[in-house]
Every structure is written in C-alpha cells, then in structure tokens.
Amino acid sequence: MQRKPLSAATLRRGLRPGLVGLGLLAVVLGAWALSAGNARDALRERAFDRLLPLLPRQTAGGPGVVIVDIDRATLARFGPWPWPRSRMAELVAAAAEGRPTALALDILFAGSDRFSPDGDAALAHALSAVPTVLGFVLETANSGQELPTTPVLSRRPVSLPGVWQANGVIGPIPVLANAAQGFGALVAAADPDGPIRRVPLLVMTGNMVRPGLAVETVRLAQEASALLIDPKGELIVGNLALPLGRDATLRLGGPPAAVTMSATRLIEEPAARAALAGRIVLIGSSAPEAGGLRVTPASPATPSVQIQAEAIAAIVRGEVLDRPVWAKFIELAGAALLGLICLLFAARLRPATAAVLALLVCLAWTAAAAAAVPGLALLLDPAGPPMVAIVTFAMATLARFVRDEWRARLLRLSFEQHLAPEVVRRIAADPAALRLRGEMREITALFTDIENFTSMTERAGPADLVALLDAYFDVATRIITDHGGMIDKIVGDAIHAIFNAPFELEDHPRRAVAAALALLQATEEVRRLPLGQRLALGRTRIGIETGPAIVGDVGGSRKLDYTAHGNAINAAARLEAANKDLGSAICIGPGTAARLDPTTVRQIGTLTVRGQSREISVYTPVSLAGTPTSSL
C-alpha cells in the first residue's frame, strides 16, 4: 500500500504536543532531582563553595580575630610536637600579656602532661590570666567525663532534629578545666563528598546542650554569662543573634578572615603582643605533624584553627547564613518556573534569540540567589534551578530541531545530528619561542658516580659494559624522573640531575633526597644481577645540594642544551666525590639540609669545598647514618 504524504499541518498537529510533553517531562524530572538526593545536595554545596568567597564581606563590627600559629618554623625552633605543657604555658602567658578579649585553644588537653612534672600547673596558671576557652571532643562509646557547661536558656521547647549528638565528652583534665572560663566543641564533621563546610553552634551530649568552640569564644568576648534561644529559633550570644536552623550549624565559605601571627614571633618579640589587644585570639597549629589539617573547599590541608577562626569572624560580623526548611520549596518552584519560561522561548523564538533570553533568565536567578546571601543571610541554590531550565531548554531545542529536520525532509542519520565539532588547536610558529631564556631560580642538584668505574671498564668487554650500563641508567633515570627531577646530562658513568627546573616543583629538596635513597636501593639490585656481579659493578655515590642557579638553553645555532650553572651545581659534584673520604653513600650539603625536616638528616662531618674558603657541614639521611657503605 502506498503511503500518503504528510502535510505541514499534520506535522504541526503531531509534533507540537510532543514538544510540549517533552519539555514538561524535563521540568518535572529536573524538579524532582532538585528536591531530593545526595547528588543534588553535593552539587548545591559545590555551587556555594564557588559563590561564597566571591561575595562582598560586611564591615566587621566587633573585635578582630588573630590566629597564633604553631607552624613548622616554630616547631623547628622550640622542639617537635607534642609540646610539654610548660612550653604551652609560655605561649599562653605571652598571648595573655597582649590583653585579648578572649583566648581559645584549638588543642585538646586530654590527660596529664607526659613531659614536664609541673607543666599542667604552669599552664593552668597561664590560662587563669585571660578569659580562656578550652576545647572538648564528643564521646560516643560512653558518658565521657564531667565538664562544666555554659547555661543555654530557652523560653519554650526547641526542636533541633539535626543537632550533632553524642553520649558524652572528652575534655581537658580538671586542673586545666578549673582555670578556663569556657568550653567549646572542637568537632567539625565532613560532608558526604569529603570537605568540611560546617562547624556546630550547639551540640547535644547526653541530655545537655553545649556550645561549639566558636560560639563559646564569642560569648566570652561579649562578656555574656549564658546563651539564650529565643522564640524565633535564634541563638542569642550577647548582643548577637544567630539562626540555628534544623541542625544548629554554621555554614563556612567566606574568604580568610583572620590575621595570622607565628607563635615564634609572639614568644620572642614582646612588642608583637600589643597586636592582640582587644582582639579574639586562637592558638592552633598549621604544622602537619600536629594533626590539625582538614579538607575544606578552600584547600585539602586547611588548619582546623583556621576553620574555627572563620566561624568566629562570621559570628562577630553577623554573617551566619541560614537555610530554612522552606528553601527547597522555593527552589522547586523556581526550577519549574524557569523550565517553563525556557520551554516557551525554545518553542516560539529563533534559536539564537531563545538561547540568549534563556541564559539571561538563568543568570537572573543566580544573581538573586547571590544577592540573598549578604542581603538576607539566606542560602538559596544558585545553580540547581538554572540547570533544570538549561536541560529543559536543550531538550526542547533538540525536539524543535528534530521537527524542523523532519519538515524539511533532510536525509541524515540521527546520530549525525549530535556530532560535536572537533576542537583544533593551532600554535603559531615562532623560532624565538623555541629557545628558553636564562633565569635565576633555586634548584636542587643531584650528582651520581659509580665507585671504581675506571678499573671496571678495563676488565669488562665492550658488549657486557654497554649492557650493564644500559640496565643501570634505565633504572636510575626512571627513578629521578619519577621523583620530578630532570636529567641534565649523562657523562660516562655519572648522572647530573636537577630538581625544580624547568618547571616549579614543590618541596624539591625532599624529592631529591627521596630519589637518592631510591637510587641506592635500585642500583644495589643492579649490582646483584649476574652481569653486575661478574663485572664487579661498584657502589653508587651521590651528592646533593640546593641553591640559586642560572638555568636556560646554552649553545649555538646548531646545538642547544638546557642546563644549570651555579655554586649548587659545583657543590653537588664536590659532595659526590666527598663520599669516598667520608665513607658515606649520600652526601647532602647545608643548602639542602636546611630545607629538610631536621629529624631526617644527620651531620657526618665538615669539609672545605674547592673554590670556597669556609668549611661547610655535610649530612646524610638518618636512615643511612652509621651504616657502612659496604653493607648497603
């Protein structure tokens, strides 16, 4: 039977309901996805992560916040973590001399001092000289310990179904607890997708409501005797009102809000203590060994004291953001409205005009959500409803495109309608750009050499020697490049390598030492190969030094060589040769040693490097110190 051709009117009648139905389906499905699900929550939180740091900050109306940081330089100066309580007492006393309005310690003092017999008493005396808040953590296994708490008053029953709860607390020992004037929760739980975005304003331990560290610190600064929950569900801290929401947490996300001062400076420079006058001071550590680094949207290694400082600054400025229960219904209605508007644009207007108007409508929602943060202290999803609208618009546009293609009776396969154009990148040819200009930068040089190589070449056959060197250099060069180094050149049996060139390499001295240790282990395995044993391959000796050098292309028009020139290069070569006299396998210069953790290296002697008039101390890794090279 022959088919009857379809008229344009028939096409319009058949496709227009399908187009509307497809758009409505996209709106419903998009609104459903927006209203529930962990994926939707994660997308919304990540949108806030991008938005909040960009918003203008209100002018601070209360005391500023200062972080006293027990950083890595402080630990190098006064000793490794954990510190004796007597040392903490010295730091607290120095902070107290600055006369801050309140002092909070982002450190848990559970258990007695193990390092100094009078440390607890000394710290308690220092704490009593200033309004101080000590921290506690939540105990889920049992009732924990008895710890005083700040009264939390309410005129009627308060419902906080999402408040963080535990059976009890673990806090400071009694002698320290008696010296403090407040106690706050140190906890900061991560969201399901990983980062920490919230700190508790209140927590529940047993049947007792306790404040978070930030709230308790602000209470002391406000000189308030208690906390109050008013009938509107706000937490009153002195003259500040904080919305509690359903879970009594504070959403973080603003730019850094505190001044940071090194603990070394506070202890050793009495004049610096005046900067703490009238401010809220937090003591904590950014050193990795202190165990206080947390994953946040701002950084995968944010000190917990920085998190607490941001919370305190937000409370003082009145920037505690609220996300009430009805917010999700507003977002659902907004998604449906934006989707319908974009559906109308896609069905009625030309594609280019419709796309511009749809984009403007979506940007208007995002702008309104952004304005609600500083204007109303309200968190509305800036990305979810626009995403639903964009998906709806895309689906409607696609449906319209299919309809137009059908009406025009163009013969193409359906998959060809969705092919994306290939992205082609063009690089303009510029001969001058092929030559890297010289620059001064800090590098770490690593030189290697094989012991008794000359005598080995005299007794080895050419084929055997080349095969052994191929195996040796294959292992050695791979280790260096895997650790981020660049092979400068191979000269005979020696390898010259540099770290931190031509690209920036974080922590390049440590990487160079790690590469040297791996080289020793790997080359010893090469020596134990049958060919290595037959030719009596010598041990590898390594010299390492860090310092400024000139790096860049050197050579003429026929041959260019990217290399480095400077004292660090010469010193690394001399240090490699010094292994023979020192009986060591790795000789590290003072420039590299100064940039390493002091506990990882050990001095093995002094020597005068040719070309220099003064003696220098040389070091070797602790893992090799005292180990004769014959036992490597």
Side-chain angles (χ1 to χ4, degrees), residues 246-611:
R246 292 173 58 85
D247 55 4
T249 61
L250 184 151
R251 210 302 183 174
L252 306 172
V259 177
T260 299
M261 177 186 297
S262 173
T264 299
R265 183 184 175 202
L266 185 66
I267 294 174
E268 296 185 341
E269 300 179 20
R273 300 167 190 173
L276 308 185
R279 299 195 176 190
I280 297 175
V281 177
L282 288 92
I283 296 178
S285 177
S286 65
E289 49 267 52
L293 301 184
R294 303 289 183 264
V295 177
T296 67
S299 168
T302 302
S304 60
V305 68
Q306 180 69 49
I307 296 174
Q308 297 294 347
E310 184 179 339
I312 291 173
I315 293 172
V316 170
R317 291 193 307 267
E319 292 182 352
V320 178
L321 304 178
D322 188 21
R323 181 170 170 78
V325 176
W326 47 263
K328 64 181 181 180
F329 299 108
I330 295 294
E331 293 164 356
L332 179 62
L337 179 60
L338 290 179
L340 289 172
I341 292 174
C342 289
L343 175 62
L344 180 62
F345 289 161
R348 297 290 184 180
L349 303 177
R350 293 181 178 273
T353 304
V356 171
L357 292 177
L359 179 61
L360 290 176
V361 169
C362 293
L363 289 177
W365 173 275
T366 301
V373 175
L376 303 174
L378 179 64
L379 287 174
L380 287 178
D381 189 350
M387 287 180 63
V388 171
I390 290 171
V391 170
T392 303
F393 178 80
M395 294 181 69
T397 301
L398 177 61
R400 181 176 177 179
F401 177 71
V402 172
R403 182 194 66 180
D404 292 342
E405 289 290 291
W406 189 7
R407 290 176 64 182
R409 296 180 182 265
L410 298 176
L411 301 177
R412 66 171 61 123
L413 298 175
S414 60
F415 69 90
E416 292 178 344
Q417 301 171 8
H418 309 291
L419 285 176
E422 183 179 342
V423 179
V424 179
R425 296 182 179 180
R426 301 177 59 186
I427 302 175
D430 183 6
L434 300 177
R435 180 183 176 98
L436 297 175
R437 295 180 297 176
E439 61 173 331
M440 177 69 75
R441 69 190 306 166
E442 182 183 79
I443 58 97
T444 296
L446 182 149
F447 278 48
T448 75
D449 191 38
I450 299 176
E451 185 180 39
N452 299 325
F453 178 75
T454 302
S455 61
M456 185 187 74
T457 60
E458 295 174 353
R459 61 177 178 269
D464 288 343
L465 180 62
V466 170
L468 182 59
L469 287 179
D470 283 347
Y472 177 88
F473 287 132
D474 182 63
V475 169
T477 55
R478 184 182 299 113
I479 288 174
I480 290 172
T481 55
D482 286 348
H483 284 79
M486 186 197 80
I487 306 299
D488 185 2
K489 57 180 66 70
I490 296 176
V491 182
D493 63 315
I495 299 175
H496 302 175
I498 55 179
F499 291 74
N500 204 41
F503 302 109
E504 294 288 343
L505 182 65
E506 184 179 358
D507 204 10
H508 53 91
R510 182 192 62 78
R511 288 175 178 264
V513 174
L517 290 169
L519 272 173
L520 283 188
Q521 181 178 355
T523 54
E524 285 298 306
E525 294 176 359
V526 176
R527 293 182 64 215
R528 288 192 288 270
L529 294 174
L531 184 57
Q533 293 181 354
R534 181 154 57 84
L535 298 184
L537 177 65
R539 302 173 184 85
T540 298
R541 298 183 299 222
I542 302 172
I544 304 173
E545 180 58 315
T546 300
I550 299 174
V551 295
D553 278 338
V554 176
S557 60
R558 295 180 180 270
K559 177 67 171 71
L560 289 176
D561 181 24
Y562 186 83
T563 187
H565 298 276
N567 287 335
I569 304 296
N570 300 330
R574 305 292 184 266
L575 292 170
E576 177 275 314
N579 283 299
K580 183 176 181 181
D581 298 326
L582 296 171
S584 56
I586 299 176
C587 190
I588 301 173
T592 301
R595 291 159 177 79
L596 300 174
D597 185 342
T599 62
T600 63
V601 293
R602 177 180 176 185
Q603 184 175 348
I604 55 174
T606 60
L607 57 86
T608 302
V609 178
R610 191 170 65 185

Side-chain angles (χ1 to χ4, degrees), residues 13-355:
R13 287 195 300 271
L15 290 178
R16 190 169 293 168
L19 175 62
V20 175
L22 182 62
L24 289 175
L25 178 61
V27 171
V28 173
L29 292 178
W32 174 81
L34 184 68
S35 63
N38 290 334
R40 182 265 304 159
D41 293 340
L43 289 173
R44 184 186 66 237
E45 293 298 337
R46 290 177 185 178
F48 289 142
D49 294 340
R50 302 294 186 274
L51 173 65
L52 295 178
L54 303 177
L55 299 178
R57 182 180 299 281
Q58 296 183 13
T59 303
V65 182
V66 177
I67 296 174
V68 175
D69 185 10
I70 306 173
D71 51 19
R72 300 195 74 176
T74 301
L75 297 183
R77 171 70 177 83
F78 293 103
W81 192 262
W83 274 359
R85 300 274 168 84
S86 57
R87 177 67 68 188
M88 284 301 307
E90 181 182 357
L91 178 59
V92 171
E97 287 185 17
R99 305 183 66 82
T101 59
L103 174 68
L105 281 78
D106 184 45
I107 301 169
L108 180 64
F109 294 103
S112 300
D113 188 5
R114 296 180 289 118
F115 303 102
S116 53
D118 300 325
D120 290 324
L123 180 56
H125 178 73
L127 293 173
S128 64
V130 62
T132 305
V133 178
L134 296 181
F136 63 82
V137 296
L138 302 181
E139 172 62 69
T140 58
N142 52 59
S143 59
Q145 70 184 74
E146 294 291 333
L147 194 68
T149 186
T150 300
V152 181
L153 309 177
S154 176
R155 296 171 184 160
R156 66 178 186 180
V158 178
S159 175
L160 298 173
V163 69
W164 297 0
Q165 301 186 39
N167 293 330
V169 300
I170 299 174
I173 59 176
V175 65
L176 300 180
N178 293 335
Q181 296 186 21
F183 305 92
L186 293 173
V187 291
D191 283 354
D193 61 335
I196 291 174
R197 298 186 177 93
R198 292 169 177 80
V199 296
L201 299 173
L202 299 174
V203 297
M204 179 75 72
T205 60
N207 295 321
M208 186 174 296
V209 178
R210 296 179 182 271
L213 186 74
V215 167
E216 185 69 349
T217 304
V218 174
R219 180 189 70 81
L220 282 190
Q222 293 275 325
E223 298 182 353
S225 59
L227 302 172
L228 174 66
I229 301 178
D230 71 1
K232 295 186 294 183
E234 293 183 329
L235 179 65
I236 307 301
V237 185
N239 58 5
L240 301 172
L242 317 177
L244 287 174
R246 292 173 58 85
D247 55 4
T249 61
L250 184 151
R251 210 302 183 174
L252 306 172
V259 177
T260 299
M261 177 186 297
S262 173
T264 299
R265 183 184 175 202
L266 185 66
I267 294 174
E268 296 185 341
E269 300 179 20
R273 300 167 190 173
L276 308 185
R279 299 195 176 190
I280 297 175
V281 177
L282 288 92
I283 296 178
S285 177
S286 65
E289 49 267 52
L293 301 184
R294 303 289 183 264
V295 177
T296 67
S299 168
T302 302
S304 60
V305 68
Q306 180 69 49
I307 296 174
Q308 297 294 347
E310 184 179 339
I312 291 173
I315 293 172
V316 170
R317 291 193 307 267
E319 292 182 352
V320 178
L321 304 178
D322 188 21
R323 181 170 170 78
V325 176
W326 47 263
K328 64 181 181 180
F329 299 108
I330 295 294
E331 293 164 356
L332 179 62
L337 179 60
L338 290 179
L340 289 172
I341 292 174
C342 289
L343 175 62
L344 180 62
F345 289 161
R348 297 290 184 180
L349 303 177
R350 293 181 178 273
T353 304

Side-chain angles (χ1 to χ4, degrees), residues 567-568 571 608-616:
N567 287 335
T608 302
V609 178
R610 191 170 65 185
Q612 298 185 17
S613 59
R614 59 184 180 86
E615 284 191 340
I616 63 171

